[in-house]
Amino acid sequence: MSEIDNYINGFPEETKSLLNQIRATIKSIVPEAEEKISYGMPSFYLNGALVYYAGYKNHIGFYPVPSGMKAFKEELSVYKQGKGSVQFPFDKPIPFDLITEIVKFRMNENLEKAKVKKRK
C-alpha cells in the first residue's frame, strides 16, 4: 500500500471517498505524474509540483500552487481561501470540473516551463 493510500485510508468513509475521487480525477488528466506525500499531503508532480490536496474535518483542501489560484481567481471566489489554498466544504458538491480545469492549466504551465528550461 502506498503512502497516499495510507493517508486517504486514515479518514472517515465520506472523506475517503471524496479524496479518492479527487485523486482519480487528477490521475485521469495527468497519468504520467508522480504521486507523493509532500508537506504532509498527497501531491502530484510533473516537472515540478502540480497540485496538492488534503482531507480535513469539514472540507477538502486543494492547493493549486499560487499560479492556479491566480488564474482561477473568479471561479474560486465562492470558496473560503488561504494563501495558495482553497477549501471545498463537505456541505457543497466538490467542483470536479473546476479541479479538472485547474490541473490542466498547471500541467500545461509546468510542461511549458520544462520546454523553456530545456532550450536554455
Side-chain angles (χ1 to χ4, degrees), residues 2-67:
S2 76
E3 281 184 303
I4 310 286
D5 293 323
N6 287 335
Y7 175 90
I8 290 172
N9 286 332
F11 286 93
E13 278 310 312
E14 186 181 342
T15 307
K16 195 185 312 189
S17 173
L18 292 172
L19 290 169
N20 277 319
Q21 288 176 59
I22 289 170
R23 182 183 189 189
T25 298
I26 298 167
K27 269 185 173 180
S28 73
I29 301 159
V30 198
E32 67 277 21
E34 176 190 357
E35 285 186 276
K36 60 184 173 181
I37 295 287
S38 183
Y39 299 104
M41 299 177 274
S43 59
F44 282 84
Y45 278 71
L46 181 70
N47 298 318
L50 287 174
V51 295
Y52 303 79
Y53 60 100
Y56 295 95
K57 186 177 179 185
N58 298 309
H59 69 277
I60 297 290
F62 187 68
Y63 308 81
V65 190
S67 64

